[in-house]
Amino acid sequence: MAPDLMGRPLDHREIEDLLGAYALDAVDPDERAAVDAHLVECVRCRTEVDHHRQIAAGLGNDVSPLSAELWDRIAGQLTPRPARDDASVTAFPGTPGELARARDRRRKWRVRPLLGAAGAAAAVAAIAVLGASLAGTEGQLSQARQALDGTASRAAVQAALAVPGHQVARLRSANGSALAELVVMPNGRGYLTTSKMPALPAGRTYQLWAIFGSRPISLGLLGNRPTTASFTLASGQSSIAGQPVLAVTVEPAGGTTSPSGAPFVSGSLRS
Amino acid sequence: MVALEEVGDAPLVAAVGRYRKEALAELYRRHGGAVLGLVRRVTGDPVEAEDVTQEVFLRLWNEPERFDPARGSLRTYLLTQSHSRAVELVRSRAARLRREERDARLTATAGYDLDHEISDLALAEQISSAMDGLTSDERQAIELAYYQGHTYREVATLLHQPEGTVKSRIRAGLSRMRTSLGERGVTTG
């Protein structure tokens, strides 16, 4: 019998029971969605799934011989690197900054690790880009792992994007450039998933707002170099006053109680 | 200058992020066979297996930042994606078959006979022997789900066992294998 997703969400125990089957891709789509949504919030279950998948990957070690033809097929579809990327071929590790710049060039929208606390006005902080953990030495890698454990990960964003009924907003500047993207789940929990907003000088911060009609409600500070953040759009807010416009303004560090100027970027939620 | 073969997976992924085709080639050399082998085993179709392998490595090329080393090894990441895709293929095919020959299919798969042909990789051997430590019920449930792409509900039907029991056995079996590997000092990350 399918879980009663409409009426009663699966409780923690029921989700836990599913984790093994989930890790083996052996659950029904509605159960998968329920677990995806739960993993957004639950570090412990996410860790358990990661562990099950590591075991499963060991089960999958049926190595087949590779053909040169298959590699040629793959290689034939690789997008070429941009001309500006002039880094040395042998300098693989690179610095996090270099990697971040390289990624900036190749990705329109990036999803980065999250650091965030729940709460309507929770201040949020930037976290080292994934590049830092990829590019570092082993020692740096384990540090990065420690930094990431206990925080919501990029998987949280991906899971949020898999939750039925989620909405996304693409925030655009006055000239129409899409500079940030948000996802909000039906329960009101939301994430700044990607940002191309430029870094601000010290002493300034980006602040996120939900604007209902003409009434702005602060959703939190994004800092002066936004990467990824979490926030909560209280469900009562949108049901009473309709769909808000989400906007980001530039404010003095510490934020303000109402926007001091026109939004830097803004956009509406859509399904 | 460091030889490509001596570079760890994580720096190679970083290099892929910087459009190093030779880094992707090295990762393909290391993990392509496992990806191909898994998908071939699950789908039973060599053509589909090559298609999925191509898809998985192109995705790594296009979106290397999706790999999060905090959540496990690159091999785990690639095999997780490959398995998921393989299962999708099996299920869409199964749905087609079900319309035509529901009973025949159940009869055919109920008499499963899975071999345990696993590569000579040390980890795989360890996992295989950890698998031997499972009860036969746990092992059957995990194998039917993982290798044949059945949901736990389907496994329950095939084994004539309650769904909740199968669900618990899969989870308990995987957890026990991890514990058993840990006791032998094997890490699976």
Side-chain angles (χ1 to χ4, degrees):
Chain A
M1 196 184 79
D4 185 7
L5 288 176
M6 292 300 110
R8 182 185 61 87
L10 297 178
D11 65 29
H12 192 268
R13 176 65 187 276
E14 290 168 314
I15 294 280
E16 274 186 345
D17 285 345
L18 283 169
L19 294 179
Y22 171 88
L24 300 187
D25 301 305
V27 293
D28 293 333
D30 49 0
E31 291 169 326
R32 186 182 182 90
V35 176
D36 282 342
H38 177 76
L39 295 184
V40 172
E41 303 288 341
C42 182
V43 175
R44 196 178 73 186
C45 286
R46 209 157 57 227
T47 303
E48 181 176 331
V49 166
D50 287 347
H51 289 167
H52 289 328
R53 283 186 170 148
Q54 285 156 15
I55 296 294
L59 297 173
N61 273 323
D62 267 337
V63 179
S64 287
L66 289 167
S67 67
E69 290 74 22
L70 179 54
W71 170 250
D72 290 343
R73 260 170 68 188
I74 294 169
Q77 293 196 37
L78 301 181
T79 47
R81 69 177 152 133
R84 282 181 55 218
D85 191 356
D86 54 358
S88 157
V89 169
T90 54
F92 279 140
T95 66
E98 281 170 1
L99 183 66
R101 283 193 293 280
R103 289 225 164 88
D104 278 339
R105 288 197 288 275
R106 65 178 296 163
R107 287 285 291 163
K108 280 175 86 172
W109 295 103
R110 280 170 301 153
V111 179
R112 284 177 170 174
L114 286 174
L115 179 67
V124 290
I127 189 168
V129 296
L130 176 63
S133 58
L134 287 177
T137 63
E138 281 305 310
Q140 288 168 321
L141 266 180
S142 70
Q143 279 179 3
R145 283 190 189 119
Q146 284 166 11
L148 288 167
D149 286 347
T151 68
S153 72
R154 295 179 305 127
V157 170
Q158 285 161 25
L161 290 169
V163 171
H166 76 268
Q167 293 183 299
V168 295
R170 187 164 287 184
L171 306 188
R172 296 180 183 277
S173 64
N175 69 9
S177 303
L179 293 180
E181 204 163 58
L182 307 168
V183 57
V184 179
M185 291 184 285
N187 68 4
R189 186 66 183 275
Y191 300 98
L192 170 68
T193 55
T194 51
S195 166
K196 292 197 297 183
M197 294 187 288
L200 296 173
R204 307 287 281 171
T205 182
Y206 288 106
Q207 188 164 358
L208 178 63
W209 306 88
I211 302 172
F212 297 91
S214 60
R215 191 165 65 95
I217 293 174
S218 175
L219 298 179
L221 303 180
L222 303 176
N224 64 352
R225 300 171 63 89
T227 53
T228 299
S230 63
F231 59 89
T232 298
L233 189 60
S235 55
Q237 290 173 347
S238 56
S239 62
I240 291 167
Q243 285 285 52
V245 170
L246 296 172
V248 174
T249 59
V250 177
E251 306 294 349
T256 60
T257 52
S258 62
S260 60
F264 178 65
V265 291
S266 63
S268 300
L269 286 168
R270 60 178 199 284
S271 299
Chain B
M1 179 171 164
V2 180
L4 211 54
E5 298 74 34
E6 296 167 15
V7 177
D9 280 355
L12 284 172
V13 174
V16 166
R18 300 165 71 193
Y19 290 95
R20 301 287 173 254
K21 195 183 277 193
E22 63 277 19
L24 188 74
E26 173 64 17
L27 291 171
Y28 171 78
R29 195 186 64 72
R30 289 181 193 180
H31 305 299
V35 168
L36 188 65
L38 173 61
V39 182
R40 184 176 289 185
R41 173 149 189 175
V42 173
T43 65
D45 183 329
V47 176
E48 283 181 340
E50 293 206 344
D51 288 347
V52 172
T53 304
Q54 177 175 353
E55 197 178 304
V56 164
F57 280 91
L58 283 177
R59 188 169 192 213
L60 180 63
W61 176 258
N62 290 320
E63 303 177 311
E65 66 281 4
R66 281 180 176 269
F67 166 58
D68 181 351
R71 301 197 67 188
S73 68
L74 181 69
R75 197 182 190 86
T76 294
Y77 171 77
L78 294 173
L79 291 179
T80 297
Q81 280 183 33
S82 309
H83 187 263
S84 172
R85 191 73 189 95
V87 165
E88 275 176 33
L89 291 170
V90 168
R91 297 221 174 116
S92 63
R93 195 196 301 152
R96 205 166 56 233
L97 284 174
R98 208 157 33 229
R99 286 195 293 274
E100 299 162 5
E101 44 175 351
R102 171 184 298 255
D103 294 339
R105 177 180 148 270
L106 284 177
T107 308
T109 46
Y112 70 94
D113 177 24
L114 296 173
D115 63 25
H116 291 261
E117 186 183 296
I118 288 191
S119 82
D120 57 356
L121 291 176
L123 176 61
E125 275 180 18
Q126 295 280 2
I127 285 185
S128 171
S129 75
M131 195 105 178
D132 291 340
L134 301 181
T135 67
S136 63
D137 285 338
E138 287 170 344
R139 193 164 62 240
Q140 279 185 345
I142 289 172
E143 288 176 342
L144 282 170
Y146 191 74
Y147 292 131
Q148 301 202 4
H150 291 298
T151 66
Y152 73 88
R153 294 178 203 282
E154 292 167 341
V155 172
T157 304
L158 291 170
L159 298 179
H160 306 291
Q161 289 168 352
E163 289 177 356
T165 305
V166 169
K167 187 167 57 175
S168 305
R169 278 184 184 145
I170 291 175
R171 183 176 179 225
L174 289 171
S175 298
R176 203 128 55 73
M177 285 171 73
R178 182 176 175 80
T179 306
S180 143
L181 291 171
E183 283 165 359
R184 282 181 252 170
V186 179
T187 57
T188 54

